[in-house]
Amino acid sequence: MEIAVNQDNDVGLSPCVLDYLKIGIIICHRPQWMIQYVNLPAAQLLCFGAGKLAGKSLLDGAGNINMSMILKKLLDSPPLTEVVYQQGEQAWSIEWKEWLPEQAIVIIQKRPEVMLKKELDAILDCLYDGIWITDGQGVTVRVNKALENIANIDAGEVVGRHVLEPRDEGKFSVSVNWLAIQDRKPVTSLDEYWSGKCCLTSSIPVFNDQGEIWRAVATVRDITLLQESYTELLNAKEQVRLYRDELDRLEEERQLGGEFVGNSAAVQKVISTVRRLAKVDSTVLILGETGVGKDVVAKMIHNLSFRADAPFIKVNCGAIPETLIESELFGYEKGSFTGARREGKPGMFELAQGGTIFLDEVAELPLQLQVKLLQAVEEHTIFRIGGIQPVKLNLRIIAATNRNLEEMIAKEMFREDLYYRLKVLPVSIPPLRERKEDIPLLVNHLIKKLNEKMGLAAKRFAKGTVDIMSCYHWPGNVRELRTVIEHLLVMVEGDTIIPDDLPSSLRRSAGQESVVNIQPLKQAVQELEKKIISLAIKQYRNSYEVAKVLQVNQSTVIRKAKKYGIYLNNI
């Protein structure tokens, strides 16, 4: 039975008016909370007919909402007069107010914003980045779970407090929200939290319709792992660079032959010249004493050229008998002479097609063959012995000699026209006595190489031994140095080679060199000065100490070292 509403005495409200409200109204009689009236919106919210609710007590339950539990919560927690009830994806606020003596009015209305807040909280808590939201005055409104983890704080510590308070407590160093509020524009900054995490923080101010800042929303990204990864990446890149440099060094050593060792100005000049010559395909003439490494320089030029992957054919013109040298160089057709192969034979020039032919000791070629060589150089064409068809050449010619070709030309032992055709790009290699500062480096290089080659136990040269070797004039140059070192490595039983182990002729010659060699006084003084400065630099490795020992200015040491081509790598 539906209880009528007496608007004069009992309820004082017209049912018609109550039914048109968008909120639910229940009028109850206290203290039993007997329902006297339910308007239409309340009945709909409770999913119950209004007629079935009238006359019942709210404490007994009503509809699909356990009103007795809600009212009990309200009655047991004064002055609490409102609770929010959620069921599924619905939320209601339920509050009660005293209406008339012994009467109360219960107001029920849907609260979609409650579910919206819950949904927003769920979304924010799923984000990887931290979120810190303040109002327009800088008071914290919300932080998400990620921010709590990043900053090592609880939401309860900061929500409702001004953002500068936790900053002043040392929880972080920069508040981008406060900066964004002050500057009225987005702000980005690096910040470090007391948790030890480094973060990239950005804040964007949100304005209302009146142009006032309503919210400031900061995103906080933990870049600690990113920084660590970046550091690891930098370390890896540096390691790769070191490996690449080492590979480049090894490749350069391979290209340069691995034998032409030295840091002196003379050696560096030769290497610089070789690099330039390798870029072109002209004929090269290498000049130098025996044993200086002319074959090594020729191989360097080949390795650095575009022909590096093609053959490199070395011919020692002085080692082939005069009767055979023509056939060895230019080849022959079948039946050309008695004892010739039936199918004929290509010469060294043909074997070097596409690559480089190196004519070592070219001055030893007979005059009649020099004419054929001139044709090969000028026309890049040869004829086999007994052949009538020219063979076109696609190769580079490098020649070398330790002879004075100009003197040989004067004695009509070498063709002048061939000399000038070979000397298009000349390279002069200095003897070892003119670059003695390279001897210690050469000694170490040869020791390592020979030990590996012969499988000997590692041995070292005492400093005094190397000093004596540096004073020797080495008429056989690097070849002689290699021979001496190989002899010592095999014959000396100990691990260290001392001065007494050196050949007596070498020790005697090195000790008397400055006395027995007659030369202009000025030149002798310069050589002695160069030796003294070089020895002082090797011993002290500091221009200040060297100047102090030699009792000269530091600038004098640097100037004279530069003059004599002494490298100050460690100064």
PDB file of all heavy atoms in Angstrom, residues 89-103:
ATOM      1  N   GLU A  89      29.622  -0.882 -12.348  1.00  0.00           N
ATOM      2  CA  GLU A  89      30.090   0.358 -12.943  1.00  0.00           C
ATOM      3  C   GLU A  89      29.203   1.538 -12.571  1.00  0.00           C
ATOM      4  O   GLU A  89      29.237   2.581 -13.229  1.00  0.00           O
ATOM      5  CB  GLU A  89      30.144   0.201 -14.479  1.00  0.00           C
ATOM      6  CG  GLU A  89      31.171  -0.838 -14.944  1.00  0.00           C
ATOM      7  CD  GLU A  89      31.296  -0.878 -16.451  1.00  0.00           C
ATOM      8  OE1 GLU A  89      30.584  -0.098 -17.120  1.00  0.00           O
ATOM      9  OE2 GLU A  89      32.102  -1.674 -16.958  1.00  0.00           O
ATOM     10  N   GLN A  90      28.418   1.369 -11.494  1.00  0.00           N
ATOM     11  CA  GLN A  90      27.539   2.444 -11.033  1.00  0.00           C
ATOM     12  C   GLN A  90      28.004   2.931  -9.662  1.00  0.00           C
ATOM     13  O   GLN A  90      28.579   2.164  -8.873  1.00  0.00           O
ATOM     14  CB  GLN A  90      26.090   1.942 -10.930  1.00  0.00           C
ATOM     15  CG  GLN A  90      25.490   1.508 -12.251  1.00  0.00           C
ATOM     16  CD  GLN A  90      25.226   2.695 -13.171  1.00  0.00           C
ATOM     17  OE1 GLN A  90      25.057   3.819 -12.695  1.00  0.00           O
ATOM     18  NE2 GLN A  90      25.192   2.438 -14.470  1.00  0.00           N
ATOM     19  N   ALA A  91      27.771   4.201  -9.400  1.00  0.00           N
ATOM     20  CA  ALA A  91      28.097   4.779  -8.092  1.00  0.00           C
ATOM     21  C   ALA A  91      26.980   5.733  -7.696  1.00  0.00           C
ATOM     22  O   ALA A  91      26.433   6.463  -8.529  1.00  0.00           O
ATOM     23  CB  ALA A  91      29.441   5.507  -8.144  1.00  0.00           C
ATOM     24  N   TRP A  92      26.626   5.704  -6.406  1.00  0.00           N
ATOM     25  CA  TRP A  92      25.598   6.602  -5.877  1.00  0.00           C
ATOM     26  C   TRP A  92      26.144   7.296  -4.634  1.00  0.00           C
ATOM     27  O   TRP A  92      26.944   6.713  -3.885  1.00  0.00           O
ATOM     28  CB  TRP A  92      24.349   5.821  -5.454  1.00  0.00           C
ATOM     29  CG  TRP A  92      23.604   5.167  -6.579  1.00  0.00           C
ATOM     30  CD1 TRP A  92      22.596   5.682  -7.302  1.00  0.00           C
ATOM     31  CD2 TRP A  92      23.820   3.845  -7.057  1.00  0.00           C
ATOM     32  NE1 TRP A  92      22.138   4.793  -8.237  1.00  0.00           N
ATOM     33  CE2 TRP A  92      22.889   3.622  -8.114  1.00  0.00           C
ATOM     34  CE3 TRP A  92      24.691   2.805  -6.737  1.00  0.00           C
ATOM     35  CZ2 TRP A  92      22.808   2.450  -8.820  1.00  0.00           C
ATOM     36  CZ3 TRP A  92      24.613   1.627  -7.456  1.00  0.00           C
ATOM     37  CH2 TRP A  92      23.693   1.464  -8.483  1.00  0.00           C
ATOM     38  N   SER A  93      25.665   8.484  -4.450  1.00  0.00           N
ATOM     39  CA  SER A  93      25.894   9.114  -3.137  1.00  0.00           C
ATOM     40  C   SER A  93      24.566   9.049  -2.377  1.00  0.00           C
ATOM     41  O   SER A  93      23.504   9.304  -2.938  1.00  0.00           O
ATOM     42  CB  SER A  93      26.347  10.563  -3.302  1.00  0.00           C
ATOM     43  OG  SER A  93      25.293  11.376  -3.750  1.00  0.00           O
ATOM     44  N   ILE A  94      24.647   8.657  -1.109  1.00  0.00           N
ATOM     45  CA  ILE A  94      23.437   8.522  -0.268  1.00  0.00           C
ATOM     46  C   ILE A  94      23.663   9.368   0.972  1.00  0.00           C
ATOM     47  O   ILE A  94      24.656   9.188   1.694  1.00  0.00           O
ATOM     48  CB  ILE A  94      23.192   7.058   0.114  1.00  0.00           C
ATOM     49  CG1 ILE A  94      23.054   6.204  -1.172  1.00  0.00           C
ATOM     50  CG2 ILE A  94      21.973   6.924   0.992  1.00  0.00           C
ATOM     51  CD1 ILE A  94      22.960   4.728  -0.889  1.00  0.00           C
ATOM     52  N   GLU A  95      22.819  10.322   1.191  1.00  0.00           N
ATOM     53  CA  GLU A  95      22.939  11.174   2.367  1.00  0.00           C
ATOM     54  C   GLU A  95      21.549  11.371   3.006  1.00  0.00           C
ATOM     55  O   GLU A  95      20.539  11.188   2.343  1.00  0.00           O
ATOM     56  CB  GLU A  95      23.535  12.519   1.990  1.00  0.00           C
ATOM     57  CG  GLU A  95      22.740  13.308   0.940  1.00  0.00           C
ATOM     58  CD  GLU A  95      23.376  14.632   0.607  1.00  0.00           C
ATOM     59  OE1 GLU A  95      23.922  15.249   1.538  1.00  0.00           O
ATOM     60  OE2 GLU A  95      23.329  15.051  -0.561  1.00  0.00           O
ATOM     61  N   TRP A  96      21.535  11.724   4.262  1.00  0.00           N
ATOM     62  CA  TRP A  96      20.252  11.963   4.928  1.00  0.00           C
ATOM     63  C   TRP A  96      20.320  13.273   5.699  1.00  0.00           C
ATOM     64  O   TRP A  96      21.377  13.695   6.155  1.00  0.00           O
ATOM     65  CB  TRP A  96      19.883  10.808   5.843  1.00  0.00           C
ATOM     66  CG  TRP A  96      20.757  10.662   7.072  1.00  0.00           C
ATOM     67  CD1 TRP A  96      21.912  10.000   7.161  1.00  0.00           C
ATOM     68  CD2 TRP A  96      20.501  11.220   8.347  1.00  0.00           C
ATOM     69  NE1 TRP A  96      22.441  10.081   8.417  1.00  0.00           N
ATOM     70  CE2 TRP A  96      21.561  10.833   9.179  1.00  0.00           C
ATOM     71  CE3 TRP A  96      19.453  11.997   8.901  1.00  0.00           C
ATOM     72  CZ2 TRP A  96      21.650  11.195  10.523  1.00  0.00           C
ATOM     73  CZ3 TRP A  96      19.537  12.348  10.226  1.00  0.00           C
ATOM     74  CH2 TRP A  96      20.644  11.959  11.029  1.00  0.00           C
ATOM     75  N   LYS A  97      19.179  13.892   5.791  1.00  0.00           N
ATOM     76  CA  LYS A  97      19.055  15.151   6.510  1.00  0.00           C
ATOM     77  C   LYS A  97      17.773  15.097   7.358  1.00  0.00           C
ATOM     78  O   LYS A  97      16.800  14.466   6.962  1.00  0.00           O
ATOM     79  CB  LYS A  97      18.981  16.331   5.544  1.00  0.00           C
ATOM     80  CG  LYS A  97      20.235  16.503   4.690  1.00  0.00           C
ATOM     81  CD  LYS A  97      20.087  17.701   3.764  1.00  0.00           C
ATOM     82  CE  LYS A  97      21.305  17.861   2.877  1.00  0.00           C
ATOM     83  NZ  LYS A  97      22.520  18.157   3.653  1.00  0.00           N
ATOM     84  N   GLU A  98      17.832  15.754   8.488  1.00  0.00           N
ATOM     85  CA  GLU A  98      16.610  15.863   9.297  1.00  0.00           C
ATOM     86  C   GLU A  98      15.633  16.776   8.582  1.00  0.00           C
ATOM     87  O   GLU A  98      16.000  17.854   8.108  1.00  0.00           O
ATOM     88  CB  GLU A  98      16.941  16.425  10.681  1.00  0.00           C
ATOM     89  CG  GLU A  98      17.745  15.464  11.548  1.00  0.00           C
ATOM     90  CD  GLU A  98      17.906  16.000  12.966  1.00  0.00           C
ATOM     91  OE1 GLU A  98      17.429  17.110  13.218  1.00  0.00           O
ATOM     92  OE2 GLU A  98      18.520  15.272  13.782  1.00  0.00           O
ATOM     93  N   TRP A  99      14.363  16.322   8.530  1.00  0.00           N
ATOM     94  CA  TRP A  99      13.376  17.085   7.754  1.00  0.00           C
ATOM     95  C   TRP A  99      12.369  17.749   8.684  1.00  0.00           C
ATOM     96  O   TRP A  99      12.292  18.956   8.778  1.00  0.00           O
ATOM     97  CB  TRP A  99      12.687  16.124   6.781  1.00  0.00           C
ATOM     98  CG  TRP A  99      11.603  16.736   5.954  1.00  0.00           C
ATOM     99  CD1 TRP A  99      10.282  16.446   6.016  1.00  0.00           C
ATOM    100  CD2 TRP A  99      11.757  17.737   4.963  1.00  0.00           C
ATOM    101  NE1 TRP A  99       9.557  17.191   5.137  1.00  0.00           N
ATOM    102  CE2 TRP A  99      10.481  18.033   4.447  1.00  0.00           C
ATOM    103  CE3 TRP A  99      12.843  18.459   4.456  1.00  0.00           C
ATOM    104  CZ2 TRP A  99      10.243  18.967   3.460  1.00  0.00           C
ATOM    105  CZ3 TRP A  99      12.608  19.389   3.454  1.00  0.00           C
ATOM    106  CH2 TRP A  99      11.331  19.629   2.974  1.00  0.00           C
ATOM    107  N   LEU A 100      11.638  16.944   9.364  1.00  0.00           N
ATOM    108  CA  LEU A 100      10.682  17.399  10.384  1.00  0.00           C
ATOM    109  C   LEU A 100      10.971  16.596  11.639  1.00  0.00           C
ATOM    110  O   LEU A 100      11.721  15.610  11.584  1.00  0.00           O
ATOM    111  CB  LEU A 100       9.249  17.154   9.905  1.00  0.00           C
ATOM    112  CG  LEU A 100       8.788  17.999   8.685  1.00  0.00           C
ATOM    113  CD1 LEU A 100       7.411  17.544   8.236  1.00  0.00           C
ATOM    114  CD2 LEU A 100       8.796  19.491   9.016  1.00  0.00           C
ATOM    115  N   PRO A 101      10.439  16.996  12.765  1.00  0.00           N
ATOM    116  CA  PRO A 101      10.644  16.172  13.961  1.00  0.00           C
ATOM    117  C   PRO A 101      10.249  14.732  13.665  1.00  0.00           C
ATOM    118  O   PRO A 101       9.163  14.461  13.145  1.00  0.00           O
ATOM    119  CB  PRO A 101       9.729  16.810  15.003  1.00  0.00           C
ATOM    120  CG  PRO A 101       9.631  18.232  14.568  1.00  0.00           C
ATOM    121  CD  PRO A 101       9.628  18.201  13.073  1.00  0.00           C
ATOM    122  N   GLU A 102      11.143  13.830  14.000  1.00  0.00           N
ATOM    123  CA  GLU A 102      10.976  12.398  13.809  1.00  0.00           C
ATOM    124  C   GLU A 102      10.865  12.014  12.339  1.00  0.00           C
ATOM    125  O   GLU A 102      10.454  10.907  12.003  1.00  0.00           O
ATOM    126  CB  GLU A 102       9.754  11.878  14.573  1.00  0.00           C
ATOM    127  CG  GLU A 102       9.876  12.050  16.071  1.00  0.00           C
ATOM    128  CD  GLU A 102       8.694  11.467  16.814  1.00  0.00           C
ATOM    129  OE1 GLU A 102       7.740  11.042  16.127  1.00  0.00           O
ATOM    130  OE2 GLU A 102       8.742  11.424  18.049  1.00  0.00           O
ATOM    131  N   GLN A 103      11.240  12.868  11.459  1.00  0.00           N
ATOM    132  CA  GLN A 103      11.259  12.545  10.034  1.00  0.00           C
ATOM    133  C   GLN A 103      12.645  12.890   9.457  1.00  0.00           C
ATOM    134  O   GLN A 103      13.269  13.873   9.876  1.00  0.00           O
ATOM    135  CB  GLN A 103      10.187  13.321   9.257  1.00  0.00           C
ATOM    136  CG  GLN A 103       8.809  12.676   9.333  1.00  0.00           C
ATOM    137  CD  GLN A 103       7.837  13.342   8.378  1.00  0.00           C
ATOM    138  OE1 GLN A 103       7.963  14.526   8.072  1.00  0.00           O
ATOM    139  NE2 GLN A 103       6.859  12.571   7.920  1.00  0.00           N
TER     140      GLN A 103
END
